[in-house]
Amino acid sequence: MAGIIGYGAYIPCYRIKAEEIARVWNDDAESIKKGLNIREKSVPGIDEDAATIAVEAARNAVKHAGIAATDLGAIYVGSESHPYVVKPTATIVSQAVGAGNNLTAADLEFACKAGTAGIQMLMGMTESGMIKYGMAIGADTSQGRPGDALEYTASAGGAAFIIGKEKSEQIAEILATASFTSDTPDFWRREGASFPSHGGRFTGEPAYFKHITSAANLLFEKTGFKPSDFSHAVFHQPNGKFPLVVAKQLGFSEEQVRTGLLTPFIGNTYSGASLLGLAAVLDKARPGEKIFVTSFGSGAGSDSFAIEVAEGIEGKRGRISSIDGMINGSKIYVDYSVYLRNRNSIKKS
Amino acid sequence: MEKASASSWRRMEERYNLLANECKNCGAVYFPQRIVCRKCGRHTKMESRKLSGNGTVYSYTRTHSPADAFEEESPYLIGVIELDEGPRVEGHIVENGKEVTIGTKVRPVFRRMYADGEEGLIHYHFKFAPV
Ligand SMILES: [Zn+2]
């Protein structure tokens, strides 16, 4: 089966604390922090966007994989904040990683799950022998309308995964995948609109929870695995609470979820969220351990994966900085006014 | 406009990946690229060479009165970086919470440089980050 040859991530160094956002809107910081299980979130620098985040993650992934970038036969970038509506982020990434010109590339959009959709596409392409390696990226600089509850969580970050079928090169094998998709009006953004809208009663139960549990149960049926077979479980994480609730519904323990739950410290990185969680788990996982991953994208759909860590992971450790280092390393805390300035990152000339 | 984006497109490998060239006759490395080696003249034997982007801060300054394109980023750091491969390169230094001073080790990062208004192209470029 196809597997992961290498991975890389990027989280901007700027942070804003939940208290600072609550101060501006006269919200009760303690109840928000507890309700959403969030302490702070990452904020892009004024010169950062989904393309720069994708490039940084992609460069790390190429370095971690130890492959020639020119051996990449496909690059897919999933985001809901592509800097251009027309002009693929994937073209900027392929140039910046030195992939050359002999490859296929495209941008994907499926709210927060476009990155995992890219991984599934590459599984098919590598297993069929159509390409040797492919890279799928999830990266976002998501925005919540000022004053909206989403403002506490919408953050910036991304991760890149290089997929290939040569077992001796894999750091983890993807044993199986299953997806569940429906037309659900929980969250959307129209062309030209600066901020997303959400459909009140359609968020939560009929969206996040229904799609994740449906995809997960399909995967369990297909593979015969049960939650206790996995050392780690990673879910899409729009806040710090939902992943813990859905894990419990499916029969996973809090312990299984802990390593891959990053939202309390960096916020919801949208297309980057489940992939960054998987990267954090791979940073620590040992050969033989199984990892369960399920993404969620509004609109809506979920992709579920059963992954088994391979021996090859040990030899590639330490080639790039860890997720832990990006979360707990050098940070710059910004106040609400700098946060507003950094969000309007398009400069005039 | 069309002319500007054509010249920017030709120099993309330089701006994204620090593509320099090296004179195989004497070993001198040039960034930006030169057609003729300063030392070798007509004996020049140029070949492309990608630089690591790793180096040290040779000098730097904090700009408070920026060019129009960077107005919203002001104040920001601009510096001369001595690259490990030899050439000195001028570039923006991004702030990441680590101290910047003369001799600080830096690595390359990929950032937005400027955009042609609200509807034009976005120009990406290497910058440097303290290690
Ligand atoms: Zn020479």
Side-chain angles (χ1 to χ4, degrees):
Chain A
M1 285 290 281
I4 300 162
I5 306 291
Y7 63 95
Y10 181 77
I11 301 165
C13 70
Y14 296 94
R15 299 285 188 281
I16 188 165
K17 287 182 184 289
E19 283 90 347
E20 174 64 8
I21 299 172
R23 183 183 65 82
V24 172
W25 299 108
N26 277 322
D27 289 336
D28 176 8
E30 283 316 308
S31 75
I32 279 163
K33 285 171 72 178
K34 209 168 158 226
L36 297 173
N37 187 19
I38 182 139
R39 297 174 204 182
E40 57 193 52
K41 67 167 189 173
S42 63
V43 177
I46 194 163
D47 57 357
E48 292 184 300
D49 61 22
T52 66
I53 289 171
V55 166
E56 295 288 354
R59 284 178 171 172
N60 281 332
V62 169
K63 201 167 158 190
H64 182 254
I67 63 163
T70 47
D71 281 339
L72 289 166
I75 294 180
Y76 295 123
V77 184
S79 181
E80 56 177 81
S81 48
H82 290 292
Y84 293 95
V85 174
V86 178
K87 165 83 177 108
T89 306
T91 60
I92 299 165
V93 173
S94 60
Q95 178 85 30
V97 300
N101 305 113
N102 301 339
L103 78 166
T104 181
D107 283 0
L108 308 176
E109 189 280 314
F110 195 142
C112 300
K113 81 154 190 93
T116 57
I119 289 178
Q120 290 177 326
M121 290 160 71
L122 295 176
M123 288 173 68
M125 292 166 81
T126 53
E127 274 168 25
S128 67
M130 184 178 164
I131 59 169
K132 186 174 184 193
Y133 305 118
M135 178 156 58
I137 303 168
D140 261 306
T141 53
S142 52
Q143 301 205 353
R145 196 184 299 273
D148 189 287
L150 281 178
E151 212 181 4
Y152 286 96
T153 50
S155 71
F161 283 78
I162 294 175
I163 306 300
K165 79 165 171 183
E166 187 55 56
K167 217 163 168 168
S168 63
E169 298 175 359
Q170 291 175 356
I171 60 151
E173 185 180 2
I174 303 173
L175 303 174
T177 182
S179 296
F180 185 84
T181 307
S182 78
D183 184 350
T184 302
D186 60 324
F187 181 91
W188 62 88
R189 180 164 65 84
R190 291 273 299 274
E191 175 90 43
S194 302
F195 299 108
S197 305
H198 39 95
R201 68 199 174 88
F202 285 103
T203 61
E205 205 48 58
Y208 181 89
F209 293 98
K210 179 183 165 193
H211 289 78
I212 287 185
T213 53
S214 300
N217 286 324
L218 283 172
L219 187 83
F220 293 149
E221 273 170 40
K222 194 170 167 179
T223 60
F225 291 137
K226 53 192 184 304
S228 58
D229 292 326
F230 296 92
S231 303
H232 305 275
V234 181
F235 297 96
H236 176 53
Q237 31 202 287
N239 53 55
K241 266 279 168 64
F242 278 18
L244 295 173
V245 175
V246 82
K248 198 171 173 189
Q249 287 179 359
L250 285 166
F252 289 98
S253 69
E254 211 172 310
E255 184 61 32
Q256 284 167 295
V257 180
R258 189 169 298 133
T259 311
L261 182 56
L262 309 180
T263 295
F265 316 103
I266 60 170
N268 176 11
T269 55
Y270 284 55
S271 301
S274 51
L275 295 181
L276 275 166
L278 173 58
V281 166
L282 288 169
D283 275 355
K284 295 187 174 147
R286 289 186 300 271
E289 287 186 341
K290 286 192 184 68
I291 305 168
F292 172 88
V293 181
T294 302
S295 62
F296 170 73
S298 290
S302 279
D303 303 323
S304 210
F305 300 85
I307 295 170
E308 184 170 336
V309 181
E311 293 291 338
I313 201 165
E314 300 296 354
K316 294 184 184 180
R317 273 199 218 286
R319 288 184 179 179
I320 52 168
S321 62
S322 67
I323 301 293
D324 199 47
M326 290 181 197
I327 292 176
N328 296 311
S330 187
K331 287 181 275 194
I332 297 175
Y333 285 94
V334 299
D335 61 21
Y336 195 81
S337 53
V338 172
Y339 163 70
L340 283 185
R341 189 182 82 150
N342 282 16
R343 289 191 337 163
N344 180 25
S345 59
I346 297 179
K347 294 160 288 291
K348 302 156 186 77
S349 75
Chain B
M1 190 65 136
E2 224 167 78
K3 204 177 156 196
S5 64
S7 74
S8 141
W9 180 75
R10 274 197 306 274
R11 294 180 60 195
M12 197 170 274
E13 266 304 284
E14 182 184 312
R15 294 186 291 110
Y16 281 19
N17 288 320
L18 286 129
L19 188 70
N21 58 6
E22 180 174 359
C23 174
K24 288 292 172 187
N25 192 42
C26 71
V29 179
Y30 293 101
F31 186 87
Q33 295 190 338
R34 279 181 65 94
I35 294 167
V36 178
C37 176
R38 279 206 189 92
K39 296 171 200 162
C40 305
R42 65 191 179 86
H43 299 292
T44 298
K45 271 185 75 180
M46 287 298 190
E47 271 182 25
S48 289
R49 178 172 172 188
K50 191 181 165 307
L51 302 178
S52 67
N54 297 317
T56 53
V57 176
Y58 178 77
S59 71
Y60 70 98
T61 180
R62 188 173 290 274
T63 308
H64 288 275
S65 47
D68 284 352
F70 308 121
E71 203 176 332
E72 287 163 33
E73 280 185 49
S74 177
Y76 58 89
L77 291 175
I78 216 158
V80 175
I81 307 303
E82 188 162 275
L83 296 172
D84 290 354
E85 294 90 348
R88 285 181 191 159
V89 180
E90 194 178 274
H92 287 234
I93 303 172
V94 303
E95 296 186 66
N96 62 5
K98 290 174 185 159
E99 200 198 354
V100 175
T101 184
I102 288 167
T104 298
K105 293 255 179 239
V106 295
R107 61 181 174 82
V109 295
F110 187 82
R111 298 295 178 96
R112 270 180 189 235
M113 200 59 152
Y114 63 97
D116 298 329
E118 295 290 335
E119 296 189 0
L121 279 176
I122 302 163
H123 299 270
Y124 295 94
H125 208 284
F126 66 82
K127 292 187 180 182
F128 297 97
V131 176

